[in-house]
Amino acid sequence: MINITESTPLNQSRFSTLSAIASMKASVKERTSDWDFPVAQEELLTNEGRKTGILAVVRQDTGDYLGQYRKQSLLPNKELVDTFESSLKSEGISFDRKISVMGNGSRFTASYELGNKISVLGEAHSPVMHINNSYDGLRKVSLNLGIERLICLNGMTGFSKDFELNKRHSPKLNSSFIASKVLEAMKSLPNSIGQVEKLGSIKADDSVITNVLGNLAQYSKGIISPKLAMRILVAWFNPTNDEMPLGNNLYRLAQAGNRVLRDLETKRIEKTQKARYSFGQQLVLAANPEVSSYARHAWDQLKAIPSDPYRLDLATN
């Protein structure tokens, strides 16, 4: 075990007290591209030096605490990336990647823009796959499929379910299993595109869009805040030149929202990703009432007048 300070007894772990762990968590960075670093698990001890059976995940280059588990359960980011990219290459799928980590490396996300371009409502898009991992147990090892509108590089996720890349947070990966999930996600793409295209058929004037955004804030359990909803409403009333021809419909609202979220993502990637997923998912469900019993009533719920705390008014902002 490595000591917290030089005065710490040799039999005491640097993670043996909650205050030590809290102080390390307080110093974490929100986002960095430093993702490929060695990690190991070290057992936590009580103040008396007794074993707890809880294993801390520790960065071996900096000594930072990243998370903890009650069993050996460590999947290095590099192993996930290498296995995932091998699966893409084995299927002949070209890609460009962008990798970010948060919390001094405790949480990991990678975005892969895939080589095959697709058309959505006559506009060029690129499929994008996101893979996630964590050393603190807050993220499943998973894959999500989205699309990016190439004319403005707005991303849209939320129409694809999460594909788990292993059954549990396990230190072992199965390359053939991951390859099967990649293929499963790609096979779901045509159906997903069809669902996104239906956004263009849902017409909505300014007052309805105002209600929709207020209700998204009301029902998203804090993922989409009233402040964020207001920012998207401002973007709706101020469309870019490429958005103006799209008309007054949910597809243009999706582009306005993703434009706002794209700009915010450089500052708060995790919160923005959650908001982007919730935003896209709710709009797609509203445009596809046949997919579930919840979706059957989603549009009526979104276009209704929201309760007072969530009624948006540009005149007061």
Side-chain angles (χ1 to χ4, degrees), residues 81-134:
V81 167
D82 289 348
T83 305
F84 179 74
E85 291 183 359
S86 294
S87 298
L88 291 179
K89 291 174 183 177
S90 69
E91 299 299 330
I93 301 174
S94 60
F95 57 85
D96 291 317
R97 80 178 187 197
K98 179 180 179 182
I99 295 179
S100 299
V101 294
M102 292 68 64
N104 275 359
S106 61
R107 295 176 301 283
F108 164 97
T109 186
S111 298
Y112 288 81
E113 181 180 337
L114 307 184
N116 298 329
K117 302 300 182 281
I118 56 177
S119 176
V120 179
L121 293 176
E123 295 187 313
H125 288 68
S126 179
V128 179
M129 283 190 179
H130 307 270
I131 58 173
N132 301 297
N133 189 28
S134 71

Side-chain angles (χ1 to χ4, degrees), residues 39-272:
V39 290
Q41 289 183 290
E42 300 179 15
E43 186 165 11
L44 301 180
L45 305 179
T46 67
N47 289 332
E48 294 75 28
R50 292 194 298 270
K51 294 182 178 181
T52 64
I54 299 174
L55 300 172
V57 181
V58 185
R59 285 189 66 150
Q60 298 300 287
D61 55 343
T62 64
D64 287 338
Y65 166 91
L66 302 179
Q68 62 189 48
Y69 298 92
R70 285 194 173 274
K71 61 180 180 179
Q72 290 284 347
S73 184
L74 194 60
L75 174 57
N77 294 330
K78 188 177 189 310
E79 183 179 347
L80 173 61
V81 167
D82 289 348
T83 305
F84 179 74
E85 291 183 359
S86 294
S87 298
L88 291 179
K89 291 174 183 177
S90 69
E91 299 299 330
I93 301 174
S94 60
F95 57 85
D96 291 317
R97 80 178 187 197
K98 179 180 179 182
I99 295 179
S100 299
V101 294
M102 292 68 64
N104 275 359
S106 61
R107 295 176 301 283
F108 164 97
T109 186
S111 298
Y112 288 81
E113 181 180 337
L114 307 184
N116 298 329
K117 302 300 182 281
I118 56 177
S119 176
V120 179
L121 293 176
E123 295 187 313
H125 288 68
S126 179
V128 179
M129 283 190 179
H130 307 270
I131 58 173
N132 301 297
N133 189 28
S134 71
Y135 296 136
D136 58 9
L138 295 181
R139 286 189 169 193
K140 294 179 180 178
V141 185
S142 62
L143 177 154
N144 183 274
L145 180 65
I147 56 175
E148 183 175 78
R149 185 170 177 246
L150 297 183
I151 194 171
C152 59
L153 299 182
N154 281 351
M156 182 172 183
T157 58
F159 59 79
S160 167
K161 69 177 182 179
D162 280 342
F163 298 87
E164 291 193 34
L165 297 183
N166 58 2
K167 298 301 182 182
R168 294 185 182 276
H169 203 107
S170 166
K172 294 184 179 180
L173 281 177
N174 184 305
S175 57
S176 61
F177 180 74
I178 289 182
S180 72
K181 290 301 178 181
V182 170
L183 286 177
E184 184 180 349
M186 292 301 292
K187 287 179 180 178
S188 73
L189 188 58
N191 181 61
S192 298
I193 291 172
Q195 292 180 354
V196 171
E197 288 186 323
K198 288 185 180 180
L199 294 174
S201 66
I202 307 297
K203 308 301 180 183
D205 59 22
D206 294 343
S207 62
V208 171
I209 293 298
T210 303
N211 289 345
V212 168
L213 289 169
N215 282 313
L216 285 174
Q218 180 172 351
Y219 296 115
S220 69
K221 298 180 180 179
I223 296 176
I224 299 174
S225 67
K227 182 178 180 180
L228 175 57
M230 182 60 70
R231 292 185 70 162
I232 297 174
L233 184 60
V234 171
W236 166 266
F237 277 102
N238 296 275
T240 58
N241 290 337
D242 61 273
E243 291 172 359
M244 290 180 66
L246 301 178
N248 291 346
N249 52 54
L250 291 189
Y251 183 71
R252 180 160 80 82
L253 175 60
Q255 302 314 316
N258 284 309
R259 172 160 51 96
V260 171
L261 291 165
R262 176 200 63 195
D263 295 339
L264 290 176
E265 196 168 39
T266 60
K267 302 175 183 178
R268 300 299 298 273
I269 184 171
E270 288 189 288
K271 286 188 176 182
T272 304

